[in-house]
Amino acid sequence: MKRVFSGVKPTGHLTLGNYLGAMRQWAEVDQHRADALFCVVDLHALTVDHDPSRVRRLSRQTATLLLAAGLDPALCTLFVQSHVDEHARLSYLLECVATDGEMRRMIQYKEKAGRERERGGSVRLSLLTYPVLMAADILAYAADEVPVGDDQAQHVQLTRDLALRFNQRYGQTFVVPRATHPAVAARVMNLQEPASKMGKSEDSGPGIVYLLDEPDVVRKKVMRAVTDSGREVVYDRAGRPGVANLLEILAACTGGNPESLSAVYRSYGALKKDTADAVVEVLKPLQGRHKELCADPAYVEGVLREGAEKARAMARPVVDSAYRAIGLLPPVAEPVLNAAR
């Protein structure tokens, strides 16, 4: 059985894009077809300025929403990254294999560091090295596949490069994973800025549908979505990104095809109304289950505790093997006392 690893960073409230692009695939497909691990990667949230209490709150909310989306602890392993020490242990070893040039070529680092320099500031060192921690997240579990959006494909390629380099230098230690991409709605765009991804790191915004938005709020955001010049409903991602985004969201919610759906509509208003209704219906069961889980926090805590124990048991042998391979001296065992004494 293949092993799959995916992580969610608790830097903001989860969005419709997170659900349609990843979470639903995890719940409906991945946890059934593979030995699947899903992780709230809270250490990654420390790479930028943050409020500690907010990180804790969002970490719990993220785990709760993953359960509400349909992840089943009987089928998969759900845990919090910082609860398993092997992530940090392996990350340092991989830093000793990675190069400075590789880190500085990462697109997300270049973009964020560039914006910060324009403001006269600088970024944290952890932002430069976090792709190595991401590689450790994956390699610690001997994952075969990593379901990601297009924006994370470069990081999975780095993971492959580091695994191959480590194996060549120090002996066969890691499984070399590959990235997989969902076929539909892999990248839901901002309703007000259809050239930009619907990101969860935004604190607010009329173009972002959050998973816990009330139905009236969802409808208002979708009905106010930016469209394009002209009146004809045509699926053209490059030429008409606003309409294409609505068609892709509607297709993902209803199981349709964006191009086929475009032929059904004669006006933007009708398309927006049906898209809004479809989003509300998709979110309804998730929001209901989330409410139930919030009323039983002990259950969520138990899932995370047991998930961390399972994850630790999987990762420790892999990381211990990497420590031996790279040349580190094993810890000295405690002497066994003579029980007859």
Side-chain angles (χ1 to χ4, degrees):
M1 197 176 200
K2 291 185 182 295
R3 180 167 290 172
V4 172
F5 179 93
S6 291
V8 184
K9 186 164 57 174
T11 51
H13 299 289
L14 293 177
T15 71
L16 180 67
N18 297 125
Y19 180 69
L20 296 180
M23 295 163 62
R24 188 170 64 174
Q25 168 84 10
W26 300 346
E28 295 182 356
V29 179
D30 291 336
Q31 69 174 344
H32 297 282
R33 70 175 180 86
D35 180 10
L37 297 101
F38 302 104
C39 182
V40 180
V41 287
D42 55 344
L43 295 176
H44 290 294
L46 310 185
T47 60
V48 295
D49 289 341
H50 63 277
D51 175 358
S53 62
R54 186 170 187 265
V55 171
R56 284 190 290 270
R57 185 171 65 253
L58 287 175
S59 295
R60 178 181 291 275
Q61 183 187 87
T62 298
T64 305
L65 282 169
L66 288 171
L67 289 170
L71 292 190
D72 184 349
L75 298 174
C76 67
T77 303
L78 175 62
F79 65 105
V80 175
Q81 180 189 31
S82 63
H83 294 176
V84 180
D85 293 343
E86 277 62 35
H87 293 256
R89 289 179 62 206
L90 182 55
S91 182
Y92 180 73
L93 294 197
L94 296 178
E95 284 187 14
C96 297
V97 176
T99 67
D100 176 75
E102 285 176 314
M103 296 300 98
R104 296 187 187 279
R105 285 195 295 273
M106 293 291 106
I107 294 171
Q108 290 192 17
Y109 171 76
K110 290 197 294 185
E111 290 177 349
K112 292 179 180 179
R115 288 195 296 268
E116 195 61 36
R117 280 195 297 270
E118 289 175 0
R119 292 195 289 262
S122 61
V123 296
R124 298 182 181 189
L125 178 62
S126 56
L127 184 66
L128 176 66
T129 59
Y130 101 87
V132 176
L133 176 57
M134 180 177 172
D137 298 337
I138 298 164
L139 297 180
Y141 298 100
D144 301 288
E145 297 180 3
V146 189
V148 293
D150 294 338
D151 59 329
Q152 292 293 329
Q154 186 185 35
H155 291 155
V156 179
Q157 183 58 51
L158 173 70
T159 302
R160 291 174 54 84
D161 294 342
L162 295 180
L164 288 167
R165 190 177 307 154
F166 192 103
N167 290 346
Q168 289 166 358
R169 290 180 182 177
Y170 306 113
Q172 189 64 35
T173 304
F174 298 119
V175 171
V176 181
R178 67 184 184 91
T180 59
H181 307 279
V184 179
R187 200 171 192 195
V188 177
M189 312 307 281
N190 189 299
L191 295 173
Q192 292 296 317
E193 301 174 26
S196 302
K197 182 181 175 182
M198 188 183 283
K200 66 178 181 299
S201 296
E202 302 285 345
D203 286 332
S204 62
I208 304 169
V209 175
Y210 296 103
L211 296 186
L212 297 179
D213 277 347
E214 294 289 336
D216 287 348
V217 174
V218 172
R219 288 193 172 90
K220 184 179 295 184
K221 289 179 177 180
V222 175
M223 294 304 293
R224 293 179 178 177
V226 167
T227 49
D228 310 291
S229 58
R231 297 180 178 180
E232 190 177 2
V233 178
V234 177
Y235 181 65
D236 179 357
R237 167 51 71 185
R240 297 190 175 183
V243 172
N245 190 36
L246 290 170
L247 287 167
E248 289 180 355
I249 291 171
L250 179 59
C253 289
T254 61
N257 176 278
E259 292 187 12
S260 299
L261 286 169
S262 67
V264 174
Y265 294 95
R266 296 291 177 266
S267 70
Y268 293 159
L271 171 62
K272 288 181 177 182
K273 181 181 181 304
D274 283 0
T275 302
D277 289 342
V279 172
V280 168
E281 286 302 308
V282 161
L283 296 183
K284 186 183 295 183
L286 181 147
Q287 293 179 350
R289 179 59 177 152
H290 177 266
K291 186 175 181 179
E292 293 173 359
L293 290 167
C294 287
D296 188 7
Y299 171 76
V300 177
E301 291 172 2
V303 168
L304 295 179
R305 182 173 57 252
E306 292 176 10
E309 290 171 359
K310 287 171 61 179
R312 197 175 299 117
M314 291 183 223
R316 185 160 293 171
V318 176
V319 178
D320 285 349
S321 175
Y323 268 56
R324 290 191 299 271
I326 206 169
L328 297 177
L329 190 67
V332 179
E334 291 287 338
V336 179
L337 297 177
N338 191 334
R341 227 186 260 181

